[in-house]
Amino acid sequence: MSQASDRVYTALRAGILDGRYGFGDRLGEIEVAADLGTSRTPVREALRRLGSEGLVEVLPNRGARVRTWTAQDLEETYELRAVLEGLGARRAAGQVTAEVVDELAALAAEMVTVDPSLGHRPPGDFADLAALNARFHAVIVGAAGSDRLAATLAGLVQLPLVMRTYHRYTPAALARSHAHHHEIVDALRAGDGAWAESVMRSHVLAARAVLLASHRDGATGTAATDPEGQAS
């Protein structure tokens, strides 16, 4: 992959995640190349890469567009995440170090302190909470010790980034998410793989329920303005 293609990929991916390119927006090679000051070849390569990650649909003879997520997409993606992240938590419980568990406990506690629904941040300011959440899940996947699992999950976690999930959470749903994080830490500290897997699966499926309810209410038609409101 060329440097030019990498630059286009980075710019397009950022634009999709921060809402500059909305769901269903066309990404014409000529227009994108003109906007980014490059030729069409690196644009084509970048679009192909984004297509493999599930962020873009490349349509035969019709160009590319930002992917629109259906209810079935949400169902399938979160079912897969529940299984795979549950497996990751189970594996991590059998080998995670005390230092890593302490790090996870600190992340879970800090997520509560930056939750805007609790008055710790301006309403709608989910950037810090989202970053901490992403770190929490990444640490667990890393502790599972499986490069194959990490690579498989990498594509699936694009969805909550695009959907900016935290904007769709009620205070009660956020409280449940925090409770799950703390219980996952307890399960890992106890070295109980079955417990860790069960809570992680429940955690991811609860996030799926939030997104599906939001989808039914018609909230997925446009991208939100905050690029970092993603949850599990």
Side-chain angles (χ1 to χ4, degrees), residues 27-62:
L27 298 172
E29 291 180 10
I30 296 175
E31 293 82 1
V32 171
D35 288 344
L36 298 179
T38 186
S39 67
R40 294 175 62 179
T41 298
V43 173
R44 191 176 303 116
E45 293 172 350
L47 290 173
R48 189 177 301 116
R49 182 174 173 186
L50 290 165
S52 70
E53 293 178 359
L55 291 176
V56 164
E57 293 176 297
V58 181
L59 307 172
N61 303 316
R62 294 169 57 191

Short mmCIF file of all heavy atoms in Angstrom, two decimals, residues 27-62:
data_model
loop_
_atom_site.label_atom_id
_atom_site.label_comp_id
_atom_site.label_asym_id
_atom_site.label_seq_id
_atom_site.Cartn_x
_atom_site.Cartn_y
_atom_site.Cartn_z
N LEU A 27 -19.01 8.24 -2.43
CA LEU A 27 -17.59 8.57 -2.38
C LEU A 27 -17.01 8.35 -3.78
O LEU A 27 -16.44 7.30 -4.09
CB LEU A 27 -16.86 7.69 -1.35
CG LEU A 27 -17.31 7.85 0.10
CD1 LEU A 27 -16.66 6.79 0.98
CD2 LEU A 27 -16.99 9.24 0.63
N GLY A 28 -17.19 9.32 -4.64
CA GLY A 28 -16.72 9.21 -6.01
C GLY A 28 -15.21 9.35 -6.08
O GLY A 28 -14.62 10.22 -5.43
N GLU A 29 -14.59 8.51 -6.87
CA GLU A 29 -13.13 8.55 -6.98
C GLU A 29 -12.63 9.90 -7.46
O GLU A 29 -11.65 10.44 -6.93
CB GLU A 29 -12.64 7.45 -7.93
CG GLU A 29 -12.82 6.03 -7.39
CD GLU A 29 -12.31 5.00 -8.38
OE1 GLU A 29 -11.64 5.39 -9.38
OE2 GLU A 29 -12.57 3.81 -8.17
N ILE A 30 -13.29 10.47 -8.45
CA ILE A 30 -12.85 11.74 -9.01
C ILE A 30 -12.98 12.85 -7.96
O ILE A 30 -12.06 13.65 -7.75
CB ILE A 30 -13.67 12.10 -10.26
CG1 ILE A 30 -13.41 11.08 -11.37
CG2 ILE A 30 -13.34 13.52 -10.74
CD1 ILE A 30 -14.28 11.28 -12.60
N GLU A 31 -14.12 12.89 -7.27
CA GLU A 31 -14.36 13.93 -6.28
C GLU A 31 -13.41 13.81 -5.09
O GLU A 31 -12.85 14.81 -4.62
CB GLU A 31 -15.81 13.87 -5.79
CG GLU A 31 -16.85 14.21 -6.84
CD GLU A 31 -17.19 13.06 -7.76
OE1 GLU A 31 -16.62 11.95 -7.57
OE2 GLU A 31 -18.03 13.25 -8.67
N VAL A 32 -13.23 12.58 -4.61
CA VAL A 32 -12.34 12.38 -3.46
C VAL A 32 -10.91 12.73 -3.84
O VAL A 32 -10.18 13.37 -3.08
CB VAL A 32 -12.43 10.93 -2.95
CG1 VAL A 32 -11.35 10.67 -1.90
CG2 VAL A 32 -13.82 10.67 -2.36
N ALA A 33 -10.49 12.31 -5.02
CA ALA A 33 -9.13 12.61 -5.47
C ALA A 33 -8.91 14.11 -5.55
O ALA A 33 -7.85 14.63 -5.14
CB ALA A 33 -8.88 11.96 -6.83
N ALA A 34 -9.91 14.85 -6.06
CA ALA A 34 -9.79 16.31 -6.15
C ALA A 34 -9.74 16.94 -4.77
O ALA A 34 -8.93 17.84 -4.52
CB ALA A 34 -10.96 16.87 -6.96
N ASP A 35 -10.58 16.46 -3.87
CA ASP A 35 -10.62 17.01 -2.52
C ASP A 35 -9.30 16.81 -1.78
O ASP A 35 -8.85 17.68 -1.03
CB ASP A 35 -11.74 16.36 -1.70
CG ASP A 35 -13.12 16.82 -2.14
OD1 ASP A 35 -13.20 17.85 -2.84
OD2 ASP A 35 -14.10 16.14 -1.78
N LEU A 36 -8.66 15.65 -2.02
CA LEU A 36 -7.46 15.30 -1.26
C LEU A 36 -6.17 15.54 -2.05
O LEU A 36 -5.08 15.25 -1.57
CB LEU A 36 -7.53 13.83 -0.82
CG LEU A 36 -8.70 13.49 0.11
CD1 LEU A 36 -8.70 12.01 0.47
CD2 LEU A 36 -8.65 14.33 1.39
N GLY A 37 -6.31 16.07 -3.26
CA GLY A 37 -5.13 16.42 -4.04
C GLY A 37 -4.28 15.24 -4.44
O GLY A 37 -3.06 15.25 -4.30
N THR A 38 -4.93 14.20 -4.94
CA THR A 38 -4.19 13.00 -5.34
C THR A 38 -4.81 12.44 -6.61
O THR A 38 -5.77 13.00 -7.16
CB THR A 38 -4.23 11.95 -4.21
OG1 THR A 38 -3.39 10.85 -4.55
CG2 THR A 38 -5.64 11.44 -3.97
N SER A 39 -4.25 11.35 -7.09
CA SER A 39 -4.81 10.70 -8.27
C SER A 39 -5.89 9.70 -7.85
O SER A 39 -6.10 9.45 -6.66
CB SER A 39 -3.71 9.97 -9.04
OG SER A 39 -3.21 8.88 -8.27
N ARG A 40 -6.54 9.11 -8.83
CA ARG A 40 -7.63 8.18 -8.52
C ARG A 40 -7.13 6.83 -8.00
O ARG A 40 -7.84 6.15 -7.26
CB ARG A 40 -8.50 7.96 -9.76
CG ARG A 40 -9.24 9.21 -10.20
CD ARG A 40 -9.99 8.99 -11.50
NE ARG A 40 -11.03 7.97 -11.38
CZ ARG A 40 -11.83 7.60 -12.38
NH1 ARG A 40 -11.69 8.18 -13.58
NH2 ARG A 40 -12.74 6.66 -12.21
N THR A 41 -5.91 6.44 -8.36
CA THR A 41 -5.42 5.12 -7.96
C THR A 41 -5.35 4.95 -6.44
O THR A 41 -5.87 3.96 -5.91
CB THR A 41 -4.05 4.83 -8.59
OG1 THR A 41 -4.18 4.83 -10.02
CG2 THR A 41 -3.51 3.48 -8.14
N PRO A 42 -4.73 5.86 -5.70
CA PRO A 42 -4.72 5.70 -4.24
C PRO A 42 -6.11 5.78 -3.62
O PRO A 42 -6.38 5.14 -2.59
CB PRO A 42 -3.82 6.83 -3.74
CG PRO A 42 -3.73 7.79 -4.86
CD PRO A 42 -3.89 7.00 -6.11
N VAL A 43 -7.01 6.54 -4.25
CA VAL A 43 -8.38 6.60 -3.76
C VAL A 43 -9.04 5.24 -3.92
O VAL A 43 -9.71 4.74 -3.01
CB VAL A 43 -9.19 7.68 -4.52
CG1 VAL A 43 -10.67 7.61 -4.12
CG2 VAL A 43 -8.62 9.06 -4.25
N ARG A 44 -8.83 4.63 -5.08
CA ARG A 44 -9.42 3.31 -5.34
C ARG A 44 -8.89 2.28 -4.32
O ARG A 44 -9.65 1.46 -3.80
CB ARG A 44 -9.09 2.87 -6.77
CG ARG A 44 -9.85 1.64 -7.24
CD ARG A 44 -9.55 1.32 -8.70
NE ARG A 44 -9.86 2.45 -9.57
CZ ARG A 44 -8.96 3.13 -10.27
NH1 ARG A 44 -7.67 2.78 -10.24
NH2 ARG A 44 -9.33 4.13 -11.05
N GLU A 45 -7.58 2.34 -4.06
CA GLU A 45 -6.99 1.41 -3.09
C GLU A 45 -7.55 1.65 -1.69
O GLU A 45 -7.85 0.69 -0.95
CB GLU A 45 -5.47 1.58 -3.08
CG GLU A 45 -4.78 1.14 -4.37
CD GLU A 45 -3.32 1.49 -4.39
OE1 GLU A 45 -2.87 2.24 -3.49
OE2 GLU A 45 -2.61 1.04 -5.31
N ALA A 46 -7.70 2.92 -1.31
CA ALA A 46 -8.22 3.24 0.02
C ALA A 46 -9.66 2.79 0.16
O ALA A 46 -10.06 2.25 1.22
CB ALA A 46 -8.09 4.74 0.27
N LEU A 47 -10.47 2.98 -0.85
CA LEU A 47 -11.87 2.56 -0.81
C LEU A 47 -11.99 1.05 -0.70
O LEU A 47 -12.84 0.52 0.01
CB LEU A 47 -12.61 3.07 -2.05
CG LEU A 47 -12.85 4.58 -2.11
CD1 LEU A 47 -13.43 4.96 -3.46
CD2 LEU A 47 -13.78 5.03 -0.99
N ARG A 48 -11.10 0.36 -1.41
CA ARG A 48 -11.11 -1.10 -1.31
C ARG A 48 -10.79 -1.55 0.12
O ARG A 48 -11.41 -2.47 0.65
CB ARG A 48 -10.10 -1.68 -2.30
CG ARG A 48 -10.19 -3.20 -2.45
CD ARG A 48 -9.21 -3.71 -3.49
NE ARG A 48 -9.43 -3.12 -4.81
CZ ARG A 48 -8.58 -2.34 -5.44
NH1 ARG A 48 -7.41 -2.04 -4.88
NH2 ARG A 48 -8.85 -1.85 -6.63
N ARG A 49 -9.84 -0.88 0.72
CA ARG A 49 -9.45 -1.21 2.11
C ARG A 49 -10.60 -0.91 3.07
O ARG A 49 -10.91 -1.71 3.96
CB ARG A 49 -8.22 -0.40 2.48
CG ARG A 49 -7.66 -0.67 3.86
CD ARG A 49 -6.36 0.10 4.02
NE ARG A 49 -5.83 0.04 5.37
CZ ARG A 49 -4.77 0.73 5.78
NH1 ARG A 49 -4.13 1.52 4.91
NH2 ARG A 49 -4.35 0.64 7.02
N LEU A 50 -11.24 0.24 2.90
CA LEU A 50 -12.38 0.59 3.76
C LEU A 50 -13.54 -0.37 3.53
O LEU A 50 -14.30 -0.67 4.46
CB LEU A 50 -12.81 2.02 3.47
CG LEU A 50 -11.84 3.11 3.94
CD1 LEU A 50 -12.17 4.45 3.29
CD2 LEU A 50 -11.85 3.23 5.45
N GLY A 51 -13.67 -0.85 2.31
CA GLY A 51 -14.70 -1.84 2.03
C GLY A 51 -14.47 -3.14 2.77
O GLY A 51 -15.40 -3.75 3.29
N SER A 52 -13.19 -3.55 2.85
CA SER A 52 -12.87 -4.79 3.56
C SER A 52 -13.11 -4.66 5.05
O SER A 52 -13.33 -5.67 5.75
CB SER A 52 -11.41 -5.18 3.30
OG SER A 52 -10.52 -4.28 3.93
N GLU A 53 -13.11 -3.43 5.56
CA GLU A 53 -13.35 -3.19 6.98
C GLU A 53 -14.83 -2.97 7.28
O GLU A 53 -15.22 -2.81 8.44
CB GLU A 53 -12.56 -1.96 7.44
CG GLU A 53 -11.06 -2.17 7.42
CD GLU A 53 -10.29 -0.93 7.85
OE1 GLU A 53 -10.94 0.10 8.14
OE2 GLU A 53 -9.05 -0.98 7.90
N GLY A 54 -15.65 -2.93 6.24
CA GLY A 54 -17.08 -2.78 6.45
C GLY A 54 -17.56 -1.36 6.61
O GLY A 54 -18.73 -1.13 6.94
N LEU A 55 -16.70 -0.38 6.36
CA LEU A 55 -17.11 1.01 6.49
C LEU A 55 -17.69 1.57 5.20
O LEU A 55 -18.45 2.54 5.22
CB LEU A 55 -15.92 1.88 6.92
CG LEU A 55 -15.42 1.66 8.35
CD1 LEU A 55 -14.17 2.51 8.60
CD2 LEU A 55 -16.49 1.97 9.37
N VAL A 56 -17.32 0.96 4.07
CA VAL A 56 -17.73 1.45 2.76
C VAL A 56 -18.28 0.29 1.95
O VAL A 56 -17.82 -0.85 2.07
CB VAL A 56 -16.52 2.08 2.03
CG1 VAL A 56 -16.78 2.25 0.54
CG2 VAL A 56 -16.17 3.43 2.66
N GLU A 57 -19.29 0.58 1.14
CA GLU A 57 -19.80 -0.40 0.18
C GLU A 57 -19.28 -0.02 -1.20
O GLU A 57 -19.50 1.11 -1.66
CB GLU A 57 -21.33 -0.37 0.17
CG GLU A 57 -21.98 -0.86 1.44
CD GLU A 57 -23.49 -0.70 1.39
OE1 GLU A 57 -23.96 0.45 1.30
OE2 GLU A 57 -24.18 -1.73 1.43
N VAL A 58 -18.58 -0.94 -1.84
CA VAL A 58 -18.09 -0.71 -3.20
C VAL A 58 -19.03 -1.45 -4.14
O VAL A 58 -19.10 -2.69 -4.13
CB VAL A 58 -16.64 -1.21 -3.37
CG1 VAL A 58 -16.16 -0.95 -4.79
CG2 VAL A 58 -15.72 -0.52 -2.36
N LEU A 59 -19.79 -0.71 -4.92
CA LEU A 59 -20.84 -1.27 -5.76
C LEU A 59 -20.37 -1.40 -7.20
O LEU A 59 -19.84 -0.43 -7.76
CB LEU A 59 -22.08 -0.39 -5.70
CG LEU A 59 -22.58 -0.06 -4.29
CD1 LEU A 59 -23.69 0.98 -4.37
CD2 LEU A 59 -23.07 -1.32 -3.61
N PRO A 60 -20.52 -2.55 -7.83
CA PRO A 60 -20.08 -2.74 -9.22
C PRO A 60 -20.70 -1.70 -10.16
O PRO A 60 -21.92 -1.53 -10.18
CB PRO A 60 -20.57 -4.16 -9.55
CG PRO A 60 -20.70 -4.84 -8.22
CD PRO A 60 -21.11 -3.77 -7.26
N ASN A 61 -19.85 -1.00 -10.88
CA ASN A 61 -20.26 0.00 -11.87
C ASN A 61 -21.03 1.18 -11.28
O ASN A 61 -21.62 1.98 -12.01
CB ASN A 61 -21.13 -0.65 -12.96
CG ASN A 61 -20.43 -1.81 -13.65
OD1 ASN A 61 -19.25 -1.72 -13.99
ND2 ASN A 61 -21.15 -2.90 -13.82
N ARG A 62 -21.02 1.29 -9.95
CA ARG A 62 -21.77 2.39 -9.32
C ARG A 62 -20.92 3.15 -8.31
O ARG A 62 -21.42 4.04 -7.62
CB ARG A 62 -23.03 1.85 -8.64
CG ARG A 62 -24.06 1.29 -9.63
CD ARG A 62 -25.16 0.53 -8.93
NE ARG A 62 -25.86 1.34 -7.94
CZ ARG A 62 -26.71 0.85 -7.05
NH1 ARG A 62 -26.96 -0.46 -7.02
NH2 ARG A 62 -27.32 1.65 -6.19
#
